[in-house]
Amino acid sequence: SLTMALSLAACGGDSSSAASTSGSNTDASTSQSDASTGAADLSEALVEPGKLIMSTNAAFPPYEMVADGEGVYQGLEGIDVEIAMAIADKLGLELVIDDMDFDAALMAVQNNSADVMLAGLSYSEDRDEVVDFTDSYATGIQSVIVKEGSDVTMDNLGDYMIGTQRGTTGFQYATDDYGEEHVIGYDNGATAVQELINGTIDAVIIDNAPAQEYVAANSDAGLALLDGAWVEEDYCAAVDEGNEVLLNAINTALNELISDGTVQTIVDKYITAE
């Protein structure tokens, strides 16, 4: 299941450029009076005027995935796709989605070949040094997939071989906790799950929503989720470090979409309450 982050706490935590509802953001009072010049400033803050270019890794259901049919936008569908569509609509921009490897999607924002990354992206201190995070729009839970009857538990996970998606916080945390010799990074979650089925690895660490999808899609393979959350974290979008104009514009749109229930409606469309 996925819980909305109703507190609207900034993913960036103490990041000076992240928006905040705590009142500590001294720029908040001036941002309203600058609204008239906002459109011109925003145009200069974009890779291409009039377009919001989003980098993603469309192999992360139900957040972003290649659609079986035509999809909802550019052959893609998912929570992040529809949230990005709504943000672009509020900002009066044409959404362009570039699908690539997860690592490349994060780099695309840093080298200004994309404006924003939405890809089930969770806040981490390491990432906060190279990108600026928007406010959180959802809370993600990372889960552990094993084979039914496996001896793997949350407590002894470090004794086994673990598969994760390369570049994700799951990969970072697992290598930090259990050592690189116990973790194999794959291009995407689907490959990691296939390697679990093949017996190459003993467990897969991945976000709970796609974890449930993978278990259901491979019912004949006898997969199961371990009880409990391996870790909980906030999902955010990210822009290039220091691009405060774009960050503030996206945060304003995002918070309006959270407040009016649009984000929750999108989430409910893809994730049914358990």
Side-chain angles (χ1 to χ4, degrees):
S1 62
L2 178 143
T3 315
M4 290 312 304
L6 296 175
S7 64
L8 307 191
C11 263
D14 58 2
S15 169
S16 59
S17 55
S20 169
T21 53
S22 64
S24 61
N25 186 353
T26 54
D27 296 329
S29 59
T30 57
S31 62
Q32 299 302 319
S33 60
D34 293 342
S36 58
T37 57
D41 291 344
L42 179 58
S43 181
E44 293 179 8
L46 298 167
V47 174
E48 288 185 47
K51 294 182 179 180
L52 183 68
I53 302 174
M54 163 186 160
S55 61
T56 194
N57 175 228
F60 195 67
Y63 289 90
E64 40 271 314
M65 54 222 166
V66 177
D68 291 336
E70 295 181 358
V72 295
Y73 197 78
Q74 294 182 1
L76 304 176
E77 59 187 356
I79 293 169
D80 287 342
V81 174
E82 296 205 27
I83 288 176
M85 290 168 64
I87 290 172
D89 188 53
K90 272 198 174 288
L91 298 179
L93 300 172
E94 175 195 349
L95 179 65
V96 177
I97 303 178
D98 286 343
D99 179 21
M100 59 191 79
D101 286 345
F102 189 88
D103 283 350
L106 195 63
M107 189 59 67
V109 169
Q110 297 173 57
N111 64 26
N112 289 304
S113 57
D115 295 301
V116 62
M117 177 180 181
L118 279 96
L121 179 68
S122 47
Y123 174 81
S124 76
E125 290 183 359
D126 287 345
R127 289 174 181 163
D128 199 21
E129 294 178 3
V130 293
V131 296
D132 281 343
F133 285 95
T134 66
D135 290 348
S136 172
Y137 57 88
T139 300
I141 295 172
Q142 290 205 25
S143 297
V144 179
I145 308 175
V146 297
K147 283 189 172 179
E148 288 179 352
S150 167
D151 293 329
V152 178
T153 67
M154 289 287 191
D155 295 329
N156 67 13
L157 200 51
D159 298 335
Y160 294 89
M161 284 303 298
I162 303 159
T164 63
Q165 181 177 347
R166 198 179 295 107
T168 62
T169 50
F171 180 81
Q172 293 174 8
Y173 299 155
T175 50
D176 287 348
D177 289 354
Y178 310 126
E180 291 182 7
E181 66 275 13
H182 284 282
V183 184
I184 300 177
Y186 297 98
D187 286 341
N188 51 59
T191 305
V193 171
Q194 188 58 52
E195 291 302 291
L196 172 63
I197 293 170
N198 295 346
T200 310
I201 53 177
D202 304 296
V204 172
I205 292 173
I206 194 168
D207 292 58
N208 187 56
Q212 292 191 26
E213 298 239 356
Y214 286 130
V215 170
N218 296 279
S219 56
D220 55 338
L223 301 181
L225 285 176
L226 293 183
D227 288 337
W230 184 65
V231 73
E232 293 188 25
E233 51 195 1
D234 291 322
Y235 283 157
C236 322
V239 302
D240 188 28
E241 180 81 9
N243 193 343
E244 293 192 30
V245 171
L246 181 57
L247 181 72
N248 291 336
I250 291 176
N251 266 334
T252 299
L254 181 60
N255 286 329
E256 289 174 4
L257 293 165
I258 292 172
S259 296
D260 70 12
T262 301
V263 169
Q264 188 65 58
T265 300
I266 293 170
V267 169
D268 290 344
K269 173 179 174 181
Y270 290 94
I271 301 178
T272 54
E274 293 167 333

